Amino acid sequence: MSLLPHVLLLLLITMAVATPLRPGFYSETCPEAESIVRDVMIKAMIREPRSVASVMRFQFHDCFVNGCDASLLLDDTPTMLGEKLALSNINSLRSFEVIDEIKRGSGEVVYMALTAFICSLVLIILRYASITSILISGGPNWEVKLGREDSLTASQEDSDSIMPSPRANASFLIDLFAKFNLSVKDLVALSGSHSIGQGRCFSIMFRLYNQSGSGKPDPTIEPKFREKLDRLCPLGGDENVTVDLDATPQIFDNQYFKDLAAGRGFLNSDETLYTNPETREYVCLFKENQGEFFKAFAEGMIKMGDLQSGRAGEIRSNCRVANGRPVDILLESGL
């Protein structure tokens, strides 16, 4: 068997370790990489518009847990509980099959060169293909730094201890984002990713029927909007029913902020951005000026994409499973 695939893999591992993150990281080693991701994402969006929002959520849920390293994509093993079944992810994150589709398509097009760094390429999905989908939906554009390594492990415990619940309020989120050197403005702008997509009734049942243990609905919910939610999410009903996160769920725009100001935020963590004085300033700015929202959103996405754990990594050949160590590859190849 040819040693070329193993040599390419080791070369790309070395490149990923030695080269800092930068736009166009794969332009020479695999110029087709970004177009492959774009094409699959466009097809996925045509099949199901929700996939746009689903893929966008990956970045936040991945980067806040030990850096942007695709740990979120790892399946559980007998010795590791991964992040897919963490409290904030189970029955919530979806569209992992889009990443699998890119993996399958990439092998046919560019052989081992792309297969070798497909999960670092998945991090394009987390930061680049989602951008492409936002563009299709009317949103902003920005250059994305590429060249990350994939983590060797994942941690359900870390995810549970870091990721906020739908019950989180603005004060909690301000403190959480500050731990990652993300500002209040970043928080509000990045929350604008809820401009597209849907949420489950499960996430708002307490708001509708028992806010703060009162046995009553959240008084900040606009009455007609609450009536709509009561019909869609009745007490004792199917909590997996999904509801639009804003009034234009397939268009990336500033409608989300207009809805918050009108008391029509879906999640508690959304609506408190308007009721909290620190975050309200930016909600008001973005609802009046969509250009300012797009600019701040792009800046926040770039800053979040820079979050790194500093831990050793690799270039997975299967996004769901960590590889053996590089030395294993050497032994298998006969080098």
Side-chain angles (χ1 to χ4, degrees):
M1 181 178 178
S2 170
L3 296 181
L4 178 60
H6 302 296
V7 172
L8 281 170
L9 177 57
L10 290 172
L11 174 62
L12 288 167
I13 289 173
T14 302
M15 288 175 59
V17 171
T19 307
L21 303 181
R22 57 180 172 80
F25 183 86
Y26 301 115
S27 58
E28 294 182 3
T29 56
C30 185
E32 301 94 339
E34 295 182 10
S35 63
I36 291 171
V37 177
R38 269 200 309 270
D39 291 345
V40 173
M41 278 303 305
I42 290 171
K43 291 175 183 177
M45 189 194 70
I46 292 172
R47 286 197 306 268
E48 184 183 4
R50 276 189 71 197
S51 62
V52 178
S54 300
V55 169
M56 280 185 62
R57 293 186 64 204
F58 283 164
Q59 177 169 1
F60 175 61
H61 287 249
D62 179 50
C63 292
F64 270 36
V65 182
N66 300 318
C68 304
D69 57 7
S71 61
L72 181 68
L73 304 178
L74 289 171
D75 288 339
D76 291 352
T77 72
T79 58
M80 182 199 76
L81 288 178
E83 297 163 26
K84 290 182 178 179
L85 298 182
L87 294 175
S88 61
N89 300 336
I90 187 171
N91 296 324
S92 178
L93 291 187
R94 52 196 299 281
S95 295
F96 291 100
E97 70 281 356
V98 174
I99 294 166
D100 296 332
E101 185 177 347
I102 290 173
K103 173 68 170 66
R104 288 192 299 270
S106 66
E108 298 173 4
V109 177
V110 288
Y111 190 51
M112 188 64 183
L114 182 56
T115 305
F117 57 75
I118 184 64
C119 298
S120 285
L121 182 56
V122 164
L123 294 172
I124 300 178
I125 298 177
L126 304 181
R127 297 162 194 81
Y128 181 88
S130 57
I131 298 166
T132 303
S133 297
I134 293 172
L135 280 171
I136 298 169
S137 303
N141 187 22
W142 63 95
E143 278 198 312
V144 179
K145 299 176 186 176
L146 306 174
R148 296 162 183 79
E149 286 187 308
D150 305 317
S151 66
L152 302 174
T153 187
S155 173
Q156 185 178 124
E157 181 180 0
D158 287 351
S159 183
D160 284 338
S161 66
I162 294 171
M163 295 304 298
S165 79
R167 301 189 182 201
N169 59 34
S171 296
F172 176 89
L173 293 173
I174 290 169
D175 292 341
L176 174 63
F177 273 60
K179 293 176 181 177
F180 298 97
N181 294 318
L182 294 168
S183 67
V184 174
K185 185 177 183 179
D186 294 327
L187 160 63
V188 179
L190 291 172
S191 295
S193 63
H194 288 173
S195 170
I196 54 176
Q198 298 177 317
R200 293 187 301 146
C201 288
F202 169 81
S203 300
I204 62 161
M205 297 303 285
F206 74 98
R207 286 193 74 203
L208 292 177
Y209 305 108
N210 192 28
Q211 178 76 331
S212 302
S214 66
K216 299 178 181 179
D218 181 351
T220 67
I221 305 176
E222 191 270 327
K224 289 187 178 179
F225 184 59
R226 190 181 71 235
E227 291 176 6
K228 174 184 175 180
L229 294 178
D230 286 342
R231 290 193 301 271
L232 294 171
C233 305
L235 191 62
D238 182 359
E239 296 187 358
N240 286 315
V241 169
T242 56
V243 181
D244 296 338
L245 290 175
D246 81 352
T248 56
Q250 295 185 26
I251 301 174
F252 194 89
D253 57 14
N254 66 341
Q255 181 63 44
Y256 164 80
F257 299 104
K258 296 176 182 178
D259 287 350
L260 297 188
R264 294 192 292 267
F266 180 72
L267 300 175
N268 191 72
S269 54
D270 289 331
E271 191 58 49
T272 61
L273 296 178
Y274 185 71
T275 58
N276 182 292
E278 284 189 80
T279 49
R280 183 190 298 128
E281 170 188 356
Y282 295 108
V283 172
C284 292
L285 171 64
F286 298 151
K287 82 179 180 69
E288 298 296 334
N289 191 323
Q290 183 166 278
E292 285 294 323
F293 164 46
F294 284 0
K295 178 182 177 182
F297 184 84
E299 291 171 351
M301 289 290 280
I302 292 171
K303 289 169 69 174
M304 186 163 61
D306 284 339
L307 298 177
Q308 302 296 307
S309 68
R311 299 177 181 179
E314 65 179 1
I315 310 300
R316 291 184 216 141
S317 57
N318 182 335
C319 294
R320 294 175 177 264
V321 183
N323 300 333
R325 294 170 300 165
V327 66
D328 297 330
I329 299 170
L330 286 170
L331 291 173
E332 290 172 5
S333 66
L335 295 178

